[in-house]
Amino acid sequence: MKKSRVLVLLALLLAIISTFFLYQYIEGLRKQPEVQVKYGNVVVALTDIPQHTKITEAMLELKSVPEEAIHKDAVKAVADIVGLTTKMDILSGEQVFKSKVASKEEKTGLSYQIPENMRAIVVPTSEVSGLAGYLVAGDRVDILVNYTDRPGPGTPPALTTAPATQTPITTPGTTTAVTTPVTTTAPATRPAATSAPIEGYVETITQFQNIEVLAIGIKPTLDENGKLVENTGVPTSVTLLVTPQQAEVMSYMLNSGSFQMTLRNPVDGLKVPLDHFGTDNFDDWRNR
């Protein structure tokens, strides 16, 4: 009987102790601060954006998500990529990664650096025509072209007949109008081109002004171990940014004449009105 009471008291004591520690545990949980979730902005595609597509603002949205869910390569501002071109497909609802967009700074293919409605054309250069290696991407140049024996001036100005004039001749009592043709020589202007090359005719034309240099090409050099070293020296070619119309003229220039480039001040965008200098106006150099 006595043992039974001891056992009951012991069980009761253990129950009280367990209840006490359980209460303390629950109170401890209540006192723990709530976890604060931090959010950040990330750019998400509103629709599927195919490869090689120019990105517009309508294709994107800025979405707030937990920071731990933001990919380290994700774009965080819409303005950072509007106007750029995708290098690969971007799916609707997907975070836009920097690696999927061709930025202006990174060394991507040259085609991504060409603005819409423009073209890149490569011209071969020497130490003289390539400005002795001083050209760098972003410079602007004028291009002077020397043509020899090309279709050009060679026929004298044609005689033209002026409109007939009436000279009144007065006789007693009557006045008679007599029509007299007057022949004049046309003003001395640059003659029109002939259908065949004019032997000995030479002229220089500033055919292009304020053309942007996209890239320069330098012949690769190898060290004594056959490894490629940093390209330095005079470029063997220059890549220029032109319109489709200018590309046609430049192709003709490369096949029909020799050229030389002049370097412009980067803030000087003025196009000077020039005609030409050549055999037919050689003495004009005195007034230049």
Side-chain angles (χ1 to χ4, degrees):
M1 184 75 178
K2 189 176 181 178
K3 288 184 178 180
S4 299
R5 288 182 179 180
V6 173
L7 292 175
V8 170
L9 290 175
L10 185 58
L12 182 60
L13 180 60
L14 291 175
I16 293 173
I17 293 173
S18 299
T19 303
F20 173 77
F21 282 110
L22 179 61
Y23 175 78
Q24 291 295 324
Y25 175 74
I26 294 174
E27 285 298 312
L29 291 177
R30 290 178 180 177
K31 291 180 180 179
Q32 287 183 1
E34 294 182 2
V35 178
Q36 297 293 328
V37 179
K38 294 183 178 181
Y39 286 80
N41 292 328
V42 64
V43 177
V44 176
L46 278 175
T47 183
D48 291 344
I49 307 176
Q51 182 184 23
H52 298 158
T53 300
K54 184 177 180 180
I55 299 174
T56 65
E57 191 171 352
M59 299 175 181
L60 310 169
E61 71 170 342
L62 196 62
K63 192 173 182 179
S64 180
V65 299
E67 287 189 348
E68 60 183 14
I70 299 177
H71 194 280
K72 63 180 181 180
D73 192 40
V75 179
K76 298 180 180 179
V78 172
D80 290 346
I81 57 172
V82 169
L84 302 183
T85 305
T86 56
K87 294 192 292 185
M88 56 188 72
D89 295 341
I90 301 176
L91 302 179
S92 176
E94 178 184 355
Q95 294 183 20
V96 179
F97 298 157
K98 298 174 185 176
S99 58
K100 291 190 174 185
V101 179
S103 70
K104 297 177 180 178
E105 292 79 15
E106 67 177 317
K107 294 182 179 179
T108 55
L110 183 64
S111 59
Y112 290 99
Q113 302 177 34
I114 303 173
E116 288 184 279
N117 303 318
M118 299 293 286
R119 303 291 186 269
I121 187 170
V122 178
V123 298
T125 57
S126 62
E127 184 172 4
V128 175
S129 64
L131 292 168
Y134 289 107
L135 278 179
V136 296
D139 281 342
R140 290 183 174 271
V141 297
D142 291 354
I143 301 179
L144 288 74
V145 188
N146 304 305
Y147 292 107
T148 59
D149 295 340
R150 78 168 184 84
T155 55
L159 296 179
T160 58
T161 302
T165 58
Q166 291 186 336
T167 303
I169 300 177
T170 304
T171 56
T174 62
T175 300
T176 303
V178 179
T179 301
T180 305
V182 179
T183 301
T184 61
T185 301
T189 58
R190 187 183 181 192
T194 59
S195 58
I198 304 302
E199 184 177 355
Y201 176 73
V202 180
E203 72 174 346
T204 300
I205 301 173
T206 301
Q207 200 139 34
F208 301 94
Q209 296 189 49
N210 203 31
I211 298 296
E212 182 180 347
V213 176
L214 269 182
I216 59 173
I218 300 176
K219 185 177 180 179
T221 55
L222 304 177
D223 62 14
E224 57 184 7
N225 297 320
K227 294 183 179 181
L228 183 67
V229 298
E230 182 180 358
N231 287 338
T232 58
V234 178
T236 56
S237 64
V238 175
T239 304
L240 303 172
L241 183 65
V242 296
T243 65
Q245 294 83 358
Q246 289 173 328
E248 286 188 342
V249 180
M250 196 165 291
S251 179
Y252 179 88
M253 170 196 83
L254 294 174
N255 288 283
S256 305
S258 60
F259 72 94
Q260 186 170 358
M261 290 186 283
T262 58
L263 186 62
R264 298 179 67 104
N265 185 296
V267 298
D268 179 12
L270 179 65
K271 291 187 177 182
V272 181
L274 299 169
D275 183 10
H276 77 293
F277 182 77
T279 304
D280 59 322
N281 66 340
F282 178 78
D283 287 338
D284 181 54
W285 67 268
R286 301 177 186 276
N287 300 321
R288 291 184 178 232

